[in-house]
Amino acid sequence: MLSSTNEGDRSPLRRWLGRAGAHDTERSLARQSALVGAVCLVVDAVSFLTRGPGPGPWNTLLLAGILIADAALVSAPRFSGWVALGHALLIPALAFVLPGRSASTAGQLVSAYRAGAWLRGRPAGAALAASCGGVLCSLLISGLDAPASLLSLVAANALMPWLVGRYTTARKAHVDELRHQREAALRDAQAEVAAAVAEERETIAVELHDVISHHVSAIGVHATAARLNLAAGPLPDDSSVRTSLTAVEESSQAAMVDLRRLLSLLHEGDESPEQPGLSMLPDLFDGVRSSGLRVTYVVYNTPHPLPRAIDTTLYRVAQEMMTNALRHGDGKAARVELDYGDDRVGLTARNRIVSGADPVGTDSPVTGFGVGLEGMRKRAETLGGSAAFGLAGDGHYWESSVTIPLGGES
């Protein structure tokens, strides 16, 4: 039996179960075929004997031929043409022995059906011609010569069973094709679901990176400053250590707030009311300034309301820009420009880099996976925008720029 599953892709247990199922189907078909052959044999034998054939060796030979032909109905489908030919030869002989008898037998009808169902091309046509010829000869021998009667009986006893066999096979092929189409559609749907899940995971990874990386970087900067100040010796009560530890506390609290926002987005989707936007950039920059990085924030043109997706995306981009400035800049100053246009909005950040530093962020265990700059680029492209990153100012500055069209929200 054919199977749509590749045997090499299945476990030994599944292959064994598949073979067991195929063998069960084959045994069931064999039993049904044997039952059909047995019923035809009994029906034809009883019909022959009850018609009262005269004594003689030819009658016995004819009965034996009928029984053998009916028994051959159990043979393999590839012998269907020969079985149909055997029945076609027996029917004219029956017309001599039993004048006036019906121009068919149960075995002959089944043999015509098998030929139509199993054979294709020339063998199928030859089997049909043999069946029609056998029925026609038996009718002529019986003395029937009316054209309409001959045509109708040949069609009923030879052509019709053959056509039913063809129809059955064609219907099975159609059902199999529908099943294959359904399986293909199911595979496509599963692939789409898997792709959607992978895309959603990537989105969550970018969100987590932007939220956690920013605050953890700030915490790291303040913790390092506190450690260095402690190593310097006794400090007054209003020391920079207290300032740094306070900043660590504030950054950790801000991280928890952003995490709650992200969880709200995961639970409630776009309906979540707690997502950040450009109006919160001053608070973001105040937190960065507490790390010692002087942030200059400039807004060009008159601010106007933005679609929520663009508003949140630009905030997350600014957050990632500040994270990169803290990690890979000189830690002294950064400039952020927000430009409101009629059909687009742009956000640009520039900061001086330390000589020999890796501004792209490949030395970071987090951004090394391409989540940082690549995450900003994907955020912009999702909304139909673009992103650009690179060295500026004779290689002493790193500049990141993101532009999103106001009509590009997806």
Side-chain angles (χ1 to χ4, degrees):
M1 299 295 291
L2 294 178
S3 174
S4 60
T5 304
N6 188 345
E7 292 290 338
D9 296 336
R10 299 189 295 184
S11 65
L13 177 59
R14 294 191 62 185
R15 288 199 299 270
W16 180 84
L17 291 176
R19 287 195 297 268
H23 292 162
D24 290 342
T25 302
E26 291 175 354
R27 285 193 293 268
S28 176
L29 291 175
R31 287 194 298 267
Q32 294 178 29
S33 179
L35 179 61
V36 170
V39 171
C40 290
L41 189 149
V42 172
V43 170
D44 288 340
V46 171
S47 176
F48 182 84
L49 296 174
T50 56
R51 291 299 182 96
W58 294 110
N59 295 330
T60 303
L61 290 175
L62 182 58
L63 177 59
I66 294 175
L67 298 181
I68 293 173
D70 287 345
L73 294 173
V74 186
S75 62
R78 64 178 180 274
F79 300 123
S80 297
W82 296 106
V83 175
L85 178 61
H87 281 278
L89 295 175
L90 286 171
I91 292 178
L94 279 174
F96 283 108
V97 177
L98 301 176
R101 116 176 229 117
S102 173
S104 67
T105 62
Q108 182 271 324
L109 295 174
V110 174
S111 69
Y113 170 86
R114 277 169 47 99
W118 292 106
L119 300 180
R120 289 293 179 270
R122 292 182 179 178
L128 175 61
S131 296
C132 291
V135 173
L136 179 61
C137 289
S138 67
L139 292 173
L140 293 175
I141 292 172
S142 298
L144 185 64
D145 56 1
S149 298
L150 289 173
L151 182 61
S152 62
L153 288 174
V154 169
N157 292 285
L159 178 61
M160 188 58 66
W162 188 88
L163 290 176
V164 172
R166 303 290 282 187
Y167 168 78
T168 302
T169 303
R171 183 179 181 277
K172 180 181 180 300
H174 177 65
V175 171
D176 289 342
E177 178 64 23
L178 292 178
R179 178 172 57 82
H180 292 320
Q181 291 177 359
R182 180 179 178 276
E183 292 175 351
L186 181 60
R187 287 193 298 270
D188 292 341
Q190 291 174 340
E192 291 178 0
V193 171
V197 170
E199 182 179 358
E200 192 65 21
R201 286 176 177 171
E202 183 178 356
T203 301
I204 294 174
V206 171
E207 292 284 350
L208 286 173
H209 170 267
D210 292 347
V211 170
I212 299 300
S213 180
H214 171 76
H215 295 296
V216 170
S217 296
I219 290 173
V221 169
H222 290 301
T224 301
R227 177 179 58 80
L228 294 176
N229 287 326
L230 286 173
L235 298 171
D237 293 339
D238 57 345
S239 66
S240 57
V241 174
R242 186 183 300 275
T243 302
S244 296
L245 293 178
T246 300
V248 168
E249 180 182 7
E250 292 175 351
S251 294
S252 63
Q253 292 173 349
M256 293 303 300
V257 171
D258 271 348
L259 280 176
R260 283 196 296 269
R261 289 171 179 163
L262 181 55
L263 291 175
S264 175
L265 176 63
L266 293 177
H267 283 296
E268 304 178 28
D270 294 335
E271 301 300 324
S272 173
E274 300 185 3
Q275 299 312 303
L278 294 178
S279 62
M280 301 177 63
L281 284 183
D283 295 334
L284 173 66
F285 297 143
D286 287 342
V288 175
R289 291 187 185 104
S290 66
S291 303
L293 181 66
R294 298 189 307 274
V295 180
T296 302
Y297 178 40
V298 181
V299 178
Y300 295 103
N301 301 319
T302 303
H304 51 78
L306 299 176
R308 184 170 184 177
I310 297 178
D311 198 30
T312 301
T313 293
L314 288 176
Y315 177 88
R316 293 302 186 196
V317 167
Q319 199 172 41
E320 177 62 22
M321 289 176 173
M322 293 300 95
T323 300
N324 289 339
L326 287 172
R327 284 185 172 182
H328 311 294
D330 63 356
K332 295 181 180 180
R335 180 181 178 86
V336 180
E337 300 177 352
L338 178 62
D339 184 8
Y340 285 91
D342 294 334
D343 58 352
R344 51 108 186 125
V345 60
L347 184 67
T348 302
R350 174 185 285 201
N351 61 274
R352 181 182 289 273
I353 61 174
V354 179
S355 177
D358 179 15
V360 180
T362 55
D363 59 348
S364 167
V366 177
T367 56
F369 289 99
V371 179
L373 300 181
E374 189 62 26
M376 285 192 284
R377 186 189 308 277
K378 289 183 178 179
R379 285 181 182 275
E381 291 176 350
T382 298
L383 298 176
S386 60
F389 316 102
L391 296 173
D394 296 330
H396 298 294
Y397 292 87
W398 179 261
E399 184 173 282
S400 302
S401 179
V402 169
T403 302
I404 299 178
L406 297 182
E409 183 180 4
S410 62

